Amino acid sequence: GVPVLFVVPWVVLRYLYENEGCWERNEKVAVWWVIRCPILVAVAVNFVVFVRIVRILVAKVRAHQVSRGDTRLRLARSTLTLIPLLGVHEVVFALAGEGEGGGGLRLAR
């Protein structure tokens, strides 16, 4: 239910100040940040959780060392599984690629 606290004010502001055509365009930056700030906070929290989980994984993998190559492979597999699960890839695109231009980062996103 927490997203409703941010979505409802954003919808009201969009309806009052920027209700023209498609809601995909974000011409008034202040209205866009009403919804973007909670998204960035969630991405930051997920990133902190990701870093802590990776630290725990490194400690566990090192504690049960079988061979050096196997350790790296298990750690890499675990980390690559967590990246899409926690949305860590969003950290790269968090602030970039929001403009109207067709920049490379926006295109990659």
Side-chain angles (χ1 to χ4, degrees):
V2 175
V4 172
L5 297 174
F6 303 104
V7 173
V8 170
W10 177 71
V11 168
V12 170
L13 288 172
R14 279 304 282 241
Y15 181 74
L16 294 176
Y17 298 112
E18 204 175 10
N19 191 22
E20 30 189 77
C22 181
W23 278 24
E24 284 279 324
R25 291 184 300 207
N26 302 307
E27 295 174 7
K28 292 189 169 102
V29 179
V31 174
W32 175 239
W33 280 104
V34 170
I35 198 77
R36 191 70 184 147
C37 281
I39 292 171
L40 292 176
V41 168
V43 167
V45 168
N46 279 349
F47 185 72
V48 169
V49 169
F50 172 74
V51 169
R52 287 187 173 189
I53 290 173
V54 168
R55 286 179 57 205
I56 292 169
L57 284 173
V58 167
K60 286 190 175 205
V61 166
R62 285 188 179 165
H64 302 293
Q65 278 187 344
V66 177
S67 67
R68 197 70 164 147
D70 184 46
T71 303
R72 288 183 182 164
L73 180 64
R74 286 174 39 198
L75 181 61
R77 192 178 322 138
S78 302
T79 304
L80 289 175
T81 302
L82 287 173
I83 287 174
L85 185 66
L86 293 174
V88 175
H89 59 282
E90 277 292 321
V91 172
V92 176
F93 302 113
L95 295 174
E98 295 298 333
E100 287 291 324
L105 200 51
R106 180 177 167 81
L107 207 59
R109 183 176 187 189

